[in-house]
Amino acid sequence: MDLTLDVAAPGGRAALPVTVTPRQFPTNGGGLCQKGWTSATVLRAPDRLTTPLVRGADGVLVPASWDDALDLVAGRLSALAAEHGPEAVAVFGGGGLTNEKAYALGKFARTVLRTPFIDYNGRFCMSSAAAAGNRAFGLDRGLPFPVTDLAGADAILLLGSNVAETMPPFVQHLAGARAAGGLVVVDPRRSATARLVGPGEGVHLQPVPGTDLVVLLALLHVLVAERLVDREYVAGRTTGFDDVARSAAAWWPERAETVCGVPAEELRRVARLLAAASPSRGGRGAYVLTGRGVEQSAQGTATVTAAIDLALALGLGGRVGSGYGCLTGQGNGQGGREHGQKCDQLPGYRKIDDPAARAHVAGVWGVDPASLPGPGVPAVKLLTSLGTPGGPRALLVHGSNVVVSAPNADRVRERLAALDLLVVCDVVPSETALLADVVLPTTQWAEEEGTMTNLEGRVIRRRRAVDPPGDARSELWILAELAHRLGSGVAFPTDPAVVFDELARASAGGVADYSGLSHARLDAHHAAGGAGLYWPCPATPDLSGPARGIPAARPDRSPGEHPGTPRVFLDRFATPDGRARMVAVDHAGPSDDVRPDAPTYLVTGRVLQHYQSGAQTHRVPELERLVPEPYVELHPLLGLRVGVPDGGRARLVSARGVVEATARWTDAVRPDTVFMPFHWSGAGSVNRLTTDAVDPVSAMPEFKVCAVAVTPAVPDPAATAEHVETLEVLA
């Protein structure tokens, strides 16, 4: 969930430390997690990057002036493009960038570098849900309703999301369903979220890893077999139901139980619970929510599609108090995917191969539409092509730590080493930055102006509270300087408000239409007590269609201004005929399933104290003391069988790599499964094990499940030396 807080610098904007307090805001209800309370610590990290670094002939990164660093980058990019063509340069962005920076990065790639090769770490986060949402609804917005709507529901089905640890303030929105006995958590672990389900509060389903799709198909089967489908809604607002019903017919609960391990009667119980909560049967409402645990899969799009099919069969979508939604995983996970970082996308969630979209955006940028490159390739394919014959020879990384966060991480490290030029923009010397030829220090959250878009599609202002340290600069300035040095005539403003105005024009008429928004309007909205405005928010008001039920006029809005769209789909879905598409899907199983030489499932996830690759949270002493090292959770029965004691060292081996970590015995995991968090590098980096097999529709990698062998750790000089070297570098 987005960090919603107030920041104060008692000694003035140039002074540290700053104080952080939670805001009374609808999404977090005035709450913060441990990461939020300690977020100001990263602003004064001892190893904060404050000056450009350039790798010398001796292989050591040394300080350089901005002119020298940018001249070097521009010169080498020009030479590589001249020798190999514009496709020799690639860009990798991040879901934590502000909307303005994400927009400018996509514009820079397509107009200055003229490369098709841009993608971002949101490919690892939201892409399966986005693909399924676009296919079903014609529009991808994480939650197509305000999160506060959840409080009134009788039932919430939550699949693949441990919100109690990943975004604790969200838990308050589950209270109504818990009180009604309707919170259903689907997770192979008895996670902190699953433990919310006490007696009379709901159900925890604990399937075999990688079989969530079977659970959903079985629930659909029960709805059809027991005549619990909202037939009037399905007939009036959807297409494709007959094919979906036929596909679900093959997954009666007893058969599903043999695959997913969930008892047949539990599946029937949950289906009936959801049906009783649905409006068609007199309930107060129900929601189906998905997260990374089911989306980061080779069948992630199919799994989310089944979740949407279930919600539509119950008549939930486009009704106040009910619906389907996806929980965003990064700070700007929603906005980051709307304005041009994705390989096939232009601002406003437009497709780059759409001639009308190209013409519109090219007109805003002042370039010939024919000069814009076509679609590139998604993240995994991009990373694995680096330094290969015909692949990119240079990579610019913004806001991502790919050698820790990407799957099959050892392979990614090899590909980065094969580049002629690696440039990393970051706030701290992350593991990826330490491999770079040039490191450029950037501003971070409290040091810059801009906007973010939260999981509800609510556009929120980020305001500068303190000055950045040393010579750290915004990516807006960096991109403008590089564009000038590369001889581009395309304008790159550095004022975030001006960039946003251009973004708004570029998005006009698109799916994610921001054209009725500006920094000034968002500031006025905030001053009047507002909490951000929802897209679509076009420049010309349209009070029909999905905008029905919009808020009443406010003093911060002129009569001709569109008020934003808190709830989409109330009248129609964003498809040509206004109906949602139900799509039949079937279960195939994990790409890397258990076998005799790797008989145990590995699942990965987060812990409360750390975030993403840990590049920032490992620099917060309070958080580091609480969880100082990687660990592996395993059931006592598995520990006894493989000879790994509680507190001992476990060695996990997959088809891609080896890691070691301290073992923690717990009955919260299945006896056939181990769990590792993914916030560490070196010998405990679990993404050295994960597979880079991808979903065929979304190209999201299958982070969440693979097969491993678990044994007691034995001394490994090579692994030990690498771990010690990593610690020394970070120190």
Side-chain angles (χ1 to χ4, degrees):
M1 179 175 290
D2 313 281
L3 192 65
T4 311
L5 45 77
D6 289 317
V7 180
R13 206 166 75 176
L16 288 174
V18 300
T19 60
V20 172
T21 56
R23 285 179 58 192
Q24 285 298 326
F25 199 81
T27 52
N28 66 338
L32 288 178
C33 68
Q34 293 178 0
K35 295 184 289 291
W37 282 111
T38 59
S39 58
T41 304
V42 183
L43 297 171
R44 55 182 186 272
D47 59 348
R48 176 71 189 275
L49 294 171
T50 60
T51 188
L53 303 174
V54 172
R55 195 171 300 279
D58 59 358
V60 177
L61 286 169
V62 296
S65 69
W66 273 107
D67 281 340
D68 288 346
L70 293 175
D71 286 347
L72 172 63
V73 171
R76 295 186 67 179
L77 291 177
S78 294
L80 287 168
E83 183 177 356
H84 302 285
E87 296 184 357
V89 182
V91 177
F92 200 90
L97 301 179
T98 62
N99 290 321
E100 292 81 359
K101 293 196 289 188
Y103 167 81
L105 189 62
K107 176 184 175 183
F108 179 82
R110 276 128 186 168
T111 64
V112 179
L113 300 177
R114 297 194 177 184
T115 179
F117 293 134
I118 176 172
D119 212 56
Y120 79 127
N121 62 15
R123 181 71 61 178
F124 303 154
C125 180
M126 304 299 302
S127 53
S128 289
N134 278 320
R135 183 167 66 182
F137 306 131
L139 181 150
D140 159 42
R141 202 176 86 182
L143 298 184
F145 46 80
V147 68
T148 50
D149 284 2
L150 295 171
D154 280 335
I156 296 174
L157 174 63
L158 181 61
L159 302 110
S161 184
N162 183 15
V163 290
E165 290 197 81
T166 59
M167 42 183 166
F170 184 89
V171 170
Q172 63 191 292
H173 302 297
L174 306 177
R178 291 174 69 191
L183 178 60
V184 182
V185 178
V186 182
D187 197 317
R189 299 169 62 223
R190 194 167 71 254
S191 64
T193 305
R195 291 196 295 273
L196 294 173
V197 181
E201 294 178 307
V203 184
H204 173 212
L205 303 183
Q206 199 166 3
V208 173
T211 64
D212 307 271
L213 178 52
V214 173
V215 172
L216 290 163
L217 290 169
L219 296 178
L220 274 165
H221 177 99
V222 175
L223 295 183
V224 176
E226 298 189 3
R227 299 182 179 180
L228 299 175
V229 172
D230 185 346
R231 290 283 183 171
E232 182 179 353
Y233 175 96
V234 166
R237 299 207 60 186
T238 75
T239 64
F241 172 75
D242 289 344
D243 289 340
V244 168
R246 279 190 291 270
S247 69
W251 289 100
W252 61 94
E254 285 75 15
R255 182 200 174 198
E257 179 180 350
T258 66
V259 177
C260 70
V262 177
E265 282 310 306
E266 285 290 277
L267 294 168
R268 289 190 173 92
R269 175 189 173 194
V270 168
R272 294 164 184 163
L273 182 156
L274 293 171
S278 67
S280 67
R281 306 189 75 80
R284 293 190 306 155
Y287 289 92
V288 179
L289 305 177
T290 63
R292 304 301 82 70
V294 299
E295 298 161 13
Q296 289 177 329
S297 163
Q299 55 183 25
T301 302
T303 303
V304 177
T305 295
I308 293 172
D309 288 342
L310 179 69
L312 294 172
L314 289 165
L316 306 182
R319 276 180 160 158
V320 176
S322 294
Y324 162 79
C326 163
L327 302 180
T328 303
Q330 296 191 71
N332 198 28
Q334 180 68 54
R337 66 184 187 267
E338 295 170 356
H339 298 298
Q341 287 191 97
K342 290 177 74 174
C343 67
D344 60 349
Q345 194 184 92
L346 290 171
Y349 227 133
R350 287 182 160 92
K351 301 295 286 185
I352 198 167
D353 55 1
D354 177 357
R358 292 170 65 87
H360 173 82
V361 175
V364 174
W365 290 347
V367 300
D368 182 349
S371 70
L372 299 178
V377 297
V380 168
K381 189 171 183 179
L382 176 60
L383 292 172
T384 55
S385 71
L386 299 174
T388 62
R393 307 300 311 174
L395 179 68
L396 311 182
V397 179
H398 294 257
S400 186
N401 190 12
V402 290
V403 295
V404 180
S405 62
N408 199 356
D410 287 345
R411 184 180 183 185
V412 172
R413 181 181 288 266
E414 291 172 0
R415 299 323 320 146
L416 294 180
L419 290 167
D420 294 329
L421 177 67
L422 174 61
V423 181
V424 175
C425 289
D426 214 329
V427 298
V428 294
S430 68
E431 289 81 358
T432 304
L434 291 172
L435 300 176
D437 299 293
V438 180
V439 181
L440 303 178
T442 60
T443 53
Q444 58 174 311
W445 60 279
E447 302 161 355
E448 60 188 13
E449 296 283 330
T451 60
M452 310 285 275
T453 305
N454 80 346
L455 75 170
E456 312 157 286
R458 191 193 298 256
V459 185
I460 305 166
R461 278 278 280 120
R462 169 183 282 184
R463 295 172 181 82
R464 181 171 175 171
V466 297
D467 291 332
D471 284 332
R473 305 289 179 91
S474 168
E475 282 94 337
L476 297 180
W477 180 87
I478 294 170
L479 295 174
E481 289 292 314
L482 284 174
H484 172 72
R485 284 169 168 80
L486 290 166
S488 173
V490 178
F492 278 83
T494 59
D495 182 341
V498 176
V499 176
F500 188 92
D501 289 345
E502 184 181 305
L503 175 160
R505 294 195 303 276
S507 75
V511 174
D513 191 332
Y514 283 43
S515 61
L517 300 175
S518 65
H519 281 205
R521 183 177 177 194
L522 290 169
D523 288 343
H525 178 73
H526 173 74
L533 291 163
Y534 297 83
W535 70 260
C537 187
T540 302
D542 177 6
L543 304 187
S544 63
R548 187 172 62 84
I550 56 179
R554 301 173 51 96
D556 58 302
R557 177 166 62 89
S558 301
E561 290 181 325
H562 193 285
T565 315
R567 298 175 185 87
V568 292
F569 312 144
L570 295 184
D571 292 316
R572 66 190 314 275
F573 294 97
T575 56
D577 63 2
R579 295 170 179 253
R581 305 288 187 256
M582 298 184 76
V583 180
V585 293
D586 203 2
H587 174 71
S591 64
D592 184 19
D593 213 340
V594 292
R595 53 191 181 275
D597 64 328
T600 304
Y601 290 107
L602 166 68
V603 297
T604 69
R606 307 185 188 194
V607 299
L608 173 64
Q609 293 77 16
H610 289 299
Y611 180 69
Q612 303 294 73
S613 72
Q616 296 184 46
T617 53
H618 288 312
R619 289 167 167 82
V620 180
E622 300 97 314
L623 302 178
E624 190 72 349
R625 280 194 296 269
L626 293 168
V627 189
E629 64 173 3
Y631 61 89
V632 54
E633 289 184 354
L634 66 164
H635 196 281
L637 292 176
L638 177 60
L640 289 169
R641 181 165 61 82
V642 300
V644 176
D646 185 25
R649 296 288 291 177
R651 180 180 175 90
L652 277 60
V653 182
S654 77
R656 292 152 297 280
V658 180
V659 302
E660 293 185 4
T662 300
R664 295 185 182 181
W665 282 13
T666 174
D667 63 0
V669 294
R670 298 169 51 95
D672 58 0
T673 301
V674 295
F675 165 81
M676 277 192 72
F678 53 70
H679 310 293
W680 283 269
S681 61
S685 174
V686 72
N687 279 329
R688 299 172 71 180
L689 304 179
T690 53
T691 175
D692 53 9
V694 300
D695 179 282
V697 179
S698 68
M700 176 181 273
E702 190 161 47
F703 282 106
K704 287 305 180 197
V705 59
C706 68
V708 296
V710 184
T711 62
V714 295
D716 183 342
T720 302
E722 180 186 351
H723 186 55
V724 170
E725 179 184 0
T726 301
L727 291 176
E728 289 175 346
V729 170
L730 292 177

